Amino acid sequence: MLNSAPLNASPLNGVAGQAAEPEYIVRGQSFVWALRVTVGGVNQTAILTGTVTVDREEGAAGVAGFDLFVASGPVVPTDWTGKAVTIDYISTSQGATSEVRRFTGQLSQPVWNPITRILSCECSDQLQQRVEAMTVEAIDSLTGGYWSADVFDAVTGRSRWDYAVERMGSRPASLDCSPTGDMRVTSWYAMAPHFEFGPGTTVYGSVDVELAQLGDITNRIEIEISYRYPRLWQLIESFGWAHPNADGLSGIGGFCAWRTWSTELPDTDMIESAVTGAGLSLIGGVGGYQLPLSMANPCGDGVAWTNTFEGLWLSAGVNGGRRWTQTVTEYYTLTLTTAEGQIEGTQRIGRDSANFEIESNRSEDWSGSLETDPNAEPGDLSDEARRVSAITCLLRRGRTEIISAHRGTTVSWAVPTSMASTVDLAHTLSIDDQGARAIGKCRRIVDSFDLNSGEALTTLSIAVMRGGGVSDPLTVPAAPSTSLPPLSGGNNSLPTQLGGRLVDPETGFTIPPYDPDRLGFSGNYSVKDDLTAPDYPRRFDLEARDIPAEYRDERAVTAEATYLVGIPNDLLEL
């Protein structure tokens, strides 16, 4: 399962959707502000008390909190749970009034204090719960990214939020909600600044820099993958036998030559049993030339021939085959690294792995299928789409982990909310104040509206990427070669040994002793030349060729690849 959605910014080169001209925040202004808070569609602003807070962070559910003073009447706190909540910020400066939505969500946990008659409301934009209610297809469309069932557990019966997180793990981007409650995915990469906070625009003493810890900056990911699948083999062997007394002739000519010194002959059952006894499956039937049935004068010598037994062979050909399954395993060692991660001594390594196997009913039935499905073709039961999907997912996840580790530095500052009311998590911000110059993508926005003091402050935090270098394309490596030379059964000519005589009538030589290990046909002459001549057992034997171990044992091959990961160097001067 592979798909991806474009990011708002391309790493290192090329930026999409960036602001043509940043908004420069002007210092020295005065503002009059107010809030509008609705719960369940009812304006509750008049009974607000204390401090109202809104906290929105990339990749997490946005939360808000406020207190309502209910002066009289009964209160049923559970009736408030789940009600829709909106928080709007209204600001007036120099005669112009603007109204901006700061939060959209639901009241998730009301707490009632019967002494003070204050209903404390904790709210959430319900990001996780909303994703949990989505279909898999809708999550795919929303998150994009890369996912493989060979890397993660099957989706069925699992949390849809976990599934969305898995997909987002392959993208340098975050899934969160806008102030109006719309779910969206935003890139981690900084673009040209949407807002610039220059000298004198930030609250004095509010600038804070939290530097990434060295041990948290992973600069090298080593991935080990084993991909296993069955290889189906088939070997067909041909066996041929001809009676030596037929003088190499076929048909009636061979019969007449044999008839001069007739012998026992193998029958059909003997030949077929020899094939199956050798561990082979019989393919087709026995072919060749059978001893003819009774004939008046077959050889033209005036002598009649009498035979009432069918299935006796003067020459025979038969085919037997075997099918077996061999396991093939492809091992991959893939490394994603920054330039620093290539240097021993400065490496901070993370690891990942995946092991998956192609399972097939066809491979389970293959060994015994020669008779039931003789036309089935041997070959590899690999799945290239699954291989590519799994490796791509792991590569993308590894690259995202490295990029995430290199944006651990956070620069934060506070400003009057009226000066940042339109800033969103999707924006790139610039600061040049109080000894700090930095540019980064906004990672957190925290509003604090103190109704007692009249203070309305927003704390902005940006993530600053640092690393440098250029990126290699994350191309899936080609599968390593696993091929072997084809196996051939060949044509096997089977010998003959005949007993029942002391001297071979054809050659005049003494007949050698019976050899129990000799393949082919063993039988006796029809007429003895001496009563002491030993009889040989009547049998027909053949052997299948040995299969070399390299065709039976697991075949393992390896492949390695290294990919450079470049990290943008966002501005950071202190």
Side-chain angles (χ1 to χ4, degrees):
M1 185 184 258
L2 270 174
N3 59 61
S4 63
L7 298 173
N8 291 342
S10 176
L12 300 184
N13 50 17
V15 176
Q18 65 187 34
E21 182 69 24
E23 180 176 335
Y24 299 95
I25 305 303
V26 180
R27 65 182 181 178
Q29 299 185 68
S30 61
F31 305 92
V32 176
W33 66 272
L35 292 180
R36 181 189 302 113
V37 176
T38 67
V39 180
V42 178
N43 191 335
Q44 302 289 354
T45 307
I47 60 174
L48 282 174
T49 184
T51 301
V52 178
T53 60
V54 178
D55 188 346
R56 296 172 48 246
E57 185 174 5
E58 62 180 13
V63 295
F66 52 85
D67 293 337
L68 301 177
F69 175 66
V70 185
S72 61
V75 174
V76 182
T78 55
D79 289 348
W80 292 71
T81 302
K83 288 189 175 182
V85 173
T86 63
I87 300 176
D88 294 310
Y89 180 80
I90 304 167
S91 175
T92 300
S93 177
Q94 299 178 351
T97 300
S98 62
E99 183 175 316
V100 179
R101 176 65 50 85
R102 300 304 292 169
F103 178 80
T104 303
Q106 290 179 287
L107 203 161
S108 56
Q109 186 175 354
V111 177
W112 172 247
N113 187 323
I115 304 301
T116 62
R117 297 194 64 80
I118 289 179
L119 183 69
S120 298
C121 302
E122 295 183 11
C123 311
S124 168
D125 62 20
Q126 301 292 303
L127 174 64
Q128 289 89 337
Q129 291 77 7
R130 292 170 64 189
V131 171
E132 200 66 54
M134 296 172 66
T135 65
V136 171
E137 293 74 18
I139 293 173
D140 293 347
S141 177
L142 173 64
T143 61
Y146 298 82
W147 192 89
S148 167
D150 294 311
V151 176
F152 304 105
D153 293 335
V155 178
T156 305
R158 285 204 303 125
S159 164
R160 297 291 171 81
W161 171 252
D162 289 347
Y163 173 66
V165 170
E166 289 166 354
R167 277 196 165 272
M168 289 304 304
S170 66
R171 299 186 63 185
S174 293
L175 169 63
D176 47 56
C177 291
S178 70
T180 57
D182 297 321
M183 290 186 291
R184 78 289 176 77
V185 171
T186 55
S187 169
W188 288 346
Y189 292 106
M191 300 183 281
H194 296 87
F195 297 88
E196 292 194 0
F197 294 84
T201 58
T202 63
V203 175
Y204 180 75
S206 68
V207 176
D208 180 68
V209 179
E210 182 180 346
L211 299 176
Q213 298 296 311
L214 179 63
D216 296 332
I217 308 176
T218 302
N219 57 22
R220 185 180 180 92
I221 299 290
E222 297 179 354
I223 305 172
E224 294 183 351
I225 305 169
S226 70
Y227 166 49
R228 183 174 289 107
Y229 55 88
R231 171 170 289 171
L232 307 182
W233 284 103
Q234 173 178 285
L235 178 63
I236 305 298
E237 298 183 71
S238 298
F239 300 90
W241 173 82
H243 200 291
N245 292 357
D247 295 340
L249 301 174
S250 60
I252 290 296
F255 159 71
C256 293
W258 167 84
R259 184 181 179 187
T260 303
W261 300 103
S262 65
T263 68
E264 295 175 325
L265 296 173
D267 59 32
T268 302
D269 287 343
M270 291 173 62
I271 298 173
E272 291 181 347
S273 296
V275 173
T276 57
L280 303 175
S281 295
L282 182 67
I283 300 176
V286 180
Y289 182 66
Q290 292 188 27
L291 192 69
L293 297 177
S294 300
M295 300 175 67
N297 184 17
C299 298
D301 55 4
V303 179
W305 166 247
T306 301
N307 174 32
T308 59
F309 298 99
E310 294 185 352
L312 295 172
W313 296 87
L314 279 169
S315 64
V318 67
N319 294 320
R322 280 172 289 175
R323 285 177 173 173
W324 70 96
T325 303
Q326 181 184 32
T327 298
V328 179
T329 305
E330 298 175 6
Y331 291 99
Y332 296 87
T333 300
L334 308 179
T335 302
L336 296 136
T337 179
T338 65
E340 188 179 48
Q342 292 181 293
I343 304 171
E344 188 173 353
T346 63
Q347 297 174 344
R348 294 173 293 278
I349 300 174
R351 304 185 189 279
D352 202 355
S353 66
N355 304 286
F356 61 102
E357 181 175 359
I358 305 298
E359 297 179 348
S360 169
N361 291 332
R362 186 182 175 203
S363 67
E364 296 176 0
D365 301 335
W366 179 251
S367 295
S369 67
L370 196 52
E371 296 179 3
T372 58
D373 190 10
N375 295 322
E377 292 290 335
D380 291 345
L381 298 184
S382 58
D383 190 327
E384 179 66 6
R386 282 179 61 178
R387 185 189 78 93
V388 170
S389 174
I391 294 177
T392 300
C393 180
L394 289 164
L395 288 174
R396 295 282 176 170
R397 187 167 72 169
R399 188 186 73 161
T400 300
E401 183 177 344
I402 291 177
I403 295 171
S404 177
H406 284 75
R407 64 190 301 262
T409 293
T410 301
V411 179
S412 303
W413 64 93
V415 295
T417 299
S418 296
M419 297 169 63
S421 61
T422 57
V423 174
D424 193 8
L425 294 173
H427 291 142
T428 297
L429 310 181
S430 169
I431 180 174
D432 184 3
D433 196 20
Q434 300 188 64
R437 295 184 65 223
I439 295 176
K441 188 259 184 188
C442 186
R443 81 174 344 152
R444 189 177 183 184
I445 302 173
V446 179
D447 295 327
S448 178
F449 308 117
D450 191 329
L451 302 173
N452 295 323
S453 67
E455 182 180 73
L457 291 180
T458 294
T459 300
L460 304 172
S461 300
I462 60 173
V464 179
M465 282 190 188
R466 300 292 297 175
V470 296
S471 292
D472 291 332
L474 296 185
T475 305
V476 174
S481 175
T482 63
S483 61
L484 288 169
L487 277 176
S488 174
N491 295 310
N492 303 286
S493 180
L494 297 172
T496 305
Q497 54 181 335
L498 298 171
R501 293 180 66 92
L502 296 178
V503 177
D504 187 330
E506 291 283 330
T507 64
F509 296 122
T510 300
I511 294 177
Y514 171 70
D515 183 355
D517 297 324
R518 194 177 188 192
L519 301 177
F521 176 65
S522 169
N524 298 285
Y525 279 97
S526 302
V527 179
K528 289 180 176 289
D529 62 352
D530 191 295
L531 294 178
T532 63
D535 289 329
Y536 291 178
R538 182 170 174 259
R539 63 169 177 82
F540 193 93
D541 289 327
L542 55 85
E543 285 184 354
R545 66 164 292 183
D546 289 333
I547 305 299
E550 61 182 325
Y551 291 84
R552 294 182 284 104
D553 297 343
E554 179 182 5
R555 181 155 179 78
V557 292
T558 61
E560 297 181 358
T562 298
Y563 305 86
L564 288 176
V565 179
I567 309 294
N569 275 326
D570 294 337
L571 175 66
L572 180 63
E573 295 178 0
L574 304 175

